Structures are given as structure tokens and as C-alpha cells.
Amino acid sequence: GAMVPVLPGLYVGGAESCSCPEALSAAGVVAVLTVDAEEPPPGRRRRRGRALPAGRAADGLALPCSHAGVSRSVAVVAAYLMKTQGLGWEEALAAVRAAKPDAEVNPGFQGQLKLYEAMGCAVDSSSVLYKRYRLEMLSERLSEPQDLPREVFAVDPTSLCQTPNTEVLYRCRKCRRALFRSSSILSHVEGSGPTAFAHKRITDSAQLCGNGREKCTSYFIEPVQWMEPALLGVMEGQLLCPKCASKLGSFSWRGEQCSCGRWVTPAFQIHKSRVDEVRTLPVGNFQTAKT
């Protein structure tokens, strides 16, 4: 938990290192970034759970602080180095360990650093990677979902506040109600096909990936606002068109298996045979539907 300099003007430490205002003053620390429940010492400005601004450590000493100064604070400093020094996540951790040999980051924080690097060292809430990570974290905490964060839901494409959009739109094949846009599709790595279904004793491989048929027969998407009533209070169920109530697919916070064999968690699955694609052409407002 001792306070250790990583860069000029940037320290890492635990709650213990925040307990002595005199020592902080002697080191020139003027800001403490807390990533734990501990309060900073009196007289120190508190920044809780925010990334350090680029270049800030150089003109105002800062101390990212967690309870033991081992995992959370190390991850925050590593992210700062990735952003300001252009380091990969492994290089950034190595740089912190060079200053603090006992620095450790648990697998969860390692996953977050990898995600941060994959997004170009910026939090991009529109990224498929970010959306999938956010849903996976939410599914791990849910037992009987009664109240879901609003930010996990994509805007209903029928919303009047929507601006003109050139994305592919997906409509109910039966009643033509707009359901979701292409930006809501969460792609996944293709599974191993029929071999993944050995436990179900499926012997006809043509059911999955033969005779030229596509392997993935469903779209796995992020939740859309019209789904919210169906999701509350249950872990799995059917997804019905909000206009005509025809069956579109299913959802499960525990996950479902795609026809390609890949297990997707959580799963909000729309069968491709139940929707049509609508693409906006560049000339005028003419639209054509792919059926």
C-alpha cells in the first residue's frame, strides 16, 4: 500500500498511503483519485472513478489509490500510461511493475485493459466490443432482473426523436414494424457447427451448415427499448413483435446457442426468417426491402 512514483508527478498506492497528510504534502500530492470506498485525507481534492486527464500528472501530482494499492489502482495507472504513452496493456503493466514489483491486476481488470486497448484507448459506448462486455457484466450480476439500466437499451427505431439514418433497418416480416438497426447486431466468432451439438444427438449436418445454407440463422442483438417489458423479472423468454405479437425469437440472460454452434451470453436472438432488411438508397428517400 505504500506510495510509489511511476512517472514524475504520478504515484500509485493504497489507502495506507493516503492516511498521512504530511507525507502527501511532502511529496507534493495535490489530488487523490480513489477507486475504492476509502475516503481521501482531509484537504485533498477527491476524484472518484475518473480517468486521469492526459498530461495532468505532469503539472499536478496525482495519486490513484485503492484499498491495497494492488489491483484497481494499478489498472488505472496502466490505462493512463496506455493513453498518454501509447503503450499496449502488457507494456503498461510492465512499466508499473518496474516501479512497484508487487503490482498485480486480477483477470477482470486485465480484461478491461484489453478491451480499452481494442477500442483505441477510449471508452466507445457504440463499439460492439463495449456493448457485449457491458451485457456480459450485467448478466453475471442478475438473478431476477427487476430494474435494468437504461443505457443497455438501444433506442427504438420508431422513436420520433430519431434523426435520418442510413443504417440497415430490420422490420417485422409480418407487420413491417421497425425493430432494430444494424448497429445493434452483436457479431460473434463462428462456432464449430454440428460438432457443438453432439450432446443433442443432431446427426443431420444439413440442418446447420450444409447445402449452402448460412450457419448463423439468427441475429444476436443488444436489447432494444421495446423489449423492456418482456425482460423484467425473468431470466429467459420469447421475444414478440411489439405491434403484431408474432414470435421473433427468444432471450436468455444465461445464454443460448447459435445455429453455428457458438454459445452467446447473454442472448437476445432474432430469427432471420422473421425479419426483412430495409436499406436506404442514396437517391431521395426511396427504400428497398431485402426479403
Side-chain angles (χ1 to χ4, degrees):
M3 182 173 63
V4 176
V6 178
L7 289 177
L10 178 64
Y11 292 82
V12 61
E16 175 187 330
S17 58
C18 298
S19 61
C20 182
E22 293 77 13
L24 293 176
S25 296
V29 172
V30 297
V32 175
L33 174 68
T34 61
V35 286
D36 199 59
E38 299 289 340
E39 292 287 339
R44 302 295 157 190
R45 296 201 309 273
R46 179 180 187 178
R47 290 193 180 93
R48 181 180 174 84
R50 295 183 181 177
L52 293 171
R56 182 55 189 259
D59 57 21
L61 297 180
L63 173 65
C65 168
S66 59
H67 181 69
V70 175
S71 200
R72 286 187 179 90
S73 57
V74 170
V76 169
V77 172
Y80 177 78
L81 296 178
M82 292 165 64
K83 181 73 171 182
T84 60
Q85 309 293 315
L87 302 180
W89 74 273
E90 292 177 299
E91 295 174 305
L93 283 181
V96 179
R97 290 188 179 117
K100 185 176 174 61
D102 65 340
E104 295 293 341
V105 175
N106 67 37
F109 288 126
Q110 284 191 21
Q112 291 182 33
L113 291 174
K114 292 176 185 179
L115 175 62
Y116 188 57
E117 181 176 1
M119 293 191 297
C121 295
V123 178
D124 180 7
S125 60
S126 66
S127 164
V128 169
L129 295 174
Y130 181 83
K131 291 177 181 179
R132 184 174 295 285
Y133 171 80
R134 182 174 58 188
L135 287 171
E136 288 174 352
M137 293 299 100
L138 183 60
S139 68
E140 290 180 4
R141 297 196 301 268
L142 289 177
S143 54
E144 294 293 329
Q146 300 295 335
D147 185 26
L148 297 172
R150 298 298 302 170
E151 62 268 19
V152 306
F153 291 96
V155 175
D156 191 322
T158 62
S159 172
L160 294 178
C161 67
Q162 286 288 283
T163 55
N165 199 310
T166 58
E167 292 183 82
V168 177
L169 181 66
Y170 294 83
R171 297 182 181 272
C172 172
R173 180 164 289 186
K174 183 176 180 180
C175 71
R176 310 299 297 159
R177 204 270 195 192
L179 299 171
F180 61 95
R181 297 187 182 278
S182 54
S183 59
S184 289
I185 296 176
L186 305 180
S187 58
H188 57 267
V189 177
E190 191 174 277
S192 56
T195 59
F197 293 85
H199 63 289
K200 294 185 178 181
R201 299 187 179 183
I202 295 179
T203 57
D204 184 4
S205 61
Q207 295 181 43
L208 300 174
C209 55
N211 300 328
R213 296 176 62 182
E214 57 186 341
K215 290 186 178 182
C216 298
T217 59
S218 297
Y219 298 110
F220 287 83
I221 67 174
E222 63 181 326
V224 187
Q225 287 174 345
W226 57 263
M227 297 180 185
E228 186 172 9
L231 304 185
L232 294 180
V234 293
M235 293 297 292
E236 58 188 20
Q238 293 185 345
L239 291 175
L240 307 179
C241 174
K243 182 178 179 180
C244 69
S246 62
K247 183 178 179 181
L248 302 171
S250 58
F251 73 92
S252 174
W253 287 102
R254 301 181 181 92
E256 291 184 345
Q257 199 162 26
C258 179
S259 56
C260 72
R262 177 66 57 187
W263 187 266
V264 180
T265 306
F268 304 90
Q269 183 177 17
I270 303 291
H271 301 308
K272 293 182 179 181
S273 61
R274 302 302 176 93
V275 295
D276 288 330
E277 291 183 1
V278 178
R279 299 177 181 271
T280 302
L281 299 179
V283 179
N285 294 320
F286 180 73
Q287 292 183 327
T288 180
K290 177 184 176 182
T291 59

